[in-house]
């Protein structure tokens, strides 16, 4: 389907641009990744652009494989326009949730401090530290796609490596969400 194919192409092109610009000393993830809204580097457009940026080859591969595997099915069922709107809204919604969680952490843990010790005896101003919290990736939009797939096709049998037997889509989606929740709780808060 055309939207899925174009989303894959845009993400791959942005990853290649990231690598090319990196060689010139320009960090596209810093410019286009999502910063906390109280950080000096935050720009409103980052709520969209962060969805197309990725931190590593593994990160983009997993997201794009999931987009290809499940997104094409949803696009065929819903149509291109509805699928694109859903993809963008779930990505933006995930970005807004990330902003909320990071702000809560800042407010509860860090707001009383002007500087932060980032280790190795290095102390940075709070504004600089907040700029380090950069979120990138299509994971939020991909989770939205997985959720929709699980709700539309709950009993579809899937083979998921390394599980040696088929599982239903609804159990895959629930299991994936639980794994991501626990891995997110263990993350350091400085982006993906």
């Amino acid at each position: 389907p055309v939207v899925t194919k174009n989303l894959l192409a845009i993400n791959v092109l942005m990853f290649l641009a990231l690598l090319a610009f990196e060689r010139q000393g320009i960090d596209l993830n810093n410019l286009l990744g999502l910063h906390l809204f109280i950080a000096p580097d935050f720009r409103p457009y980052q709520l969209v652009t962060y969805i197309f940026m990725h931190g590593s080859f593994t990160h983009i591969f997993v997201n794009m494989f999931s987009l290809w595997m499940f997104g094409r099915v949803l696009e065929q069922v819903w149509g291109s326009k509805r699928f694109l709107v859903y993809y963008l809204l779930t990505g933006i919604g995930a970005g807004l949730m990330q902003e909320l969680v990071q702000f809560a952490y800042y407010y509860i843990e860090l707001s009383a401090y002007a500087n932060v010790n980032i280790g190795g005896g290095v102390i940075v101003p709070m504004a600089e530290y907040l700029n380090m919290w950069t979120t990138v990736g299509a994971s939020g939009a991909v989770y939205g796609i997985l959720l929709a797939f699980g709700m539309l096709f709950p009993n579809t049998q899937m083979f998921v490596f390394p599980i040696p037997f088929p599982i239903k889509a609804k159990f895959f989606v629930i299991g994936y969400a639980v794994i991501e929740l626990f891995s997110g709780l263990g993350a350091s808060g400085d982006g993906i």
Side-chain angles (χ1 to χ4, degrees):
V2 68
V3 170
T4 302
K5 180 175 66 174
N6 286 327
L7 288 172
L8 290 168
I10 292 168
N11 277 277
V12 169
L13 289 172
M14 292 304 292
F15 187 69
L16 294 174
L18 171 73
L19 298 177
F21 276 76
E22 214 169 58
R23 292 181 184 179
Q24 303 301 316
I26 300 170
D27 184 0
L28 284 184
N29 276 342
N30 187 53
L31 294 171
L32 302 176
L34 181 60
H35 292 278
L36 182 60
F37 67 93
I38 59 173
D41 287 351
F42 171 78
R43 303 290 180 270
Y45 64 78
Q46 294 169 347
L47 280 165
V48 175
T49 57
Y50 93 97
I51 301 167
F52 301 99
M53 305 305 297
H54 289 84
S56 68
F57 176 78
T58 303
H59 187 205
I60 191 169
F61 177 79
V62 170
N63 277 340
M64 295 306 100
F65 182 74
S66 299
L67 171 60
W68 171 77
M69 190 170 172
F70 301 102
R72 62 190 172 98
V73 175
L74 292 180
E75 185 176 351
Q76 288 172 344
V77 170
W78 286 345
S80 296
K81 183 178 178 182
R82 183 175 176 196
F83 174 71
L84 178 60
V85 168
Y86 180 80
Y87 181 85
L88 291 174
L89 286 178
T90 55
I92 292 168
L96 291 171
M97 290 304 297
Q98 179 76 1
E99 291 285 291
L100 179 66
V101 169
Q102 285 182 340
F103 181 72
Y105 176 74
Y106 164 78
Y107 186 76
I108 293 167
E109 297 288 331
L110 301 174
S111 61
Y113 303 103
N115 299 301
V116 178
N117 183 342
I118 61 172
V122 178
I123 297 175
V124 298
M126 183 59 70
E128 185 179 331
Y129 183 69
L130 292 177
N131 278 336
M132 294 177 187
W133 291 2
T134 307
T135 302
V136 297
S139 300
V142 168
Y143 298 143
I145 288 171
L146 289 173
L147 176 64
F149 185 88
M151 293 180 73
L152 288 173
F153 308 102
N155 295 316
T156 298
Q157 296 286 328
M158 300 173 56
F159 279 97
V160 179
F161 182 79
I163 301 171
F165 52 85
I167 62 171
K168 292 183 177 182
K170 61 186 172 188
F171 298 126
F172 170 75
V173 170
I174 291 169
Y176 201 79
V178 168
I179 290 168
E180 284 302 314
L181 176 64
F182 284 109
S183 68
L185 292 175
S188 62
D190 47 342
I192 297 173

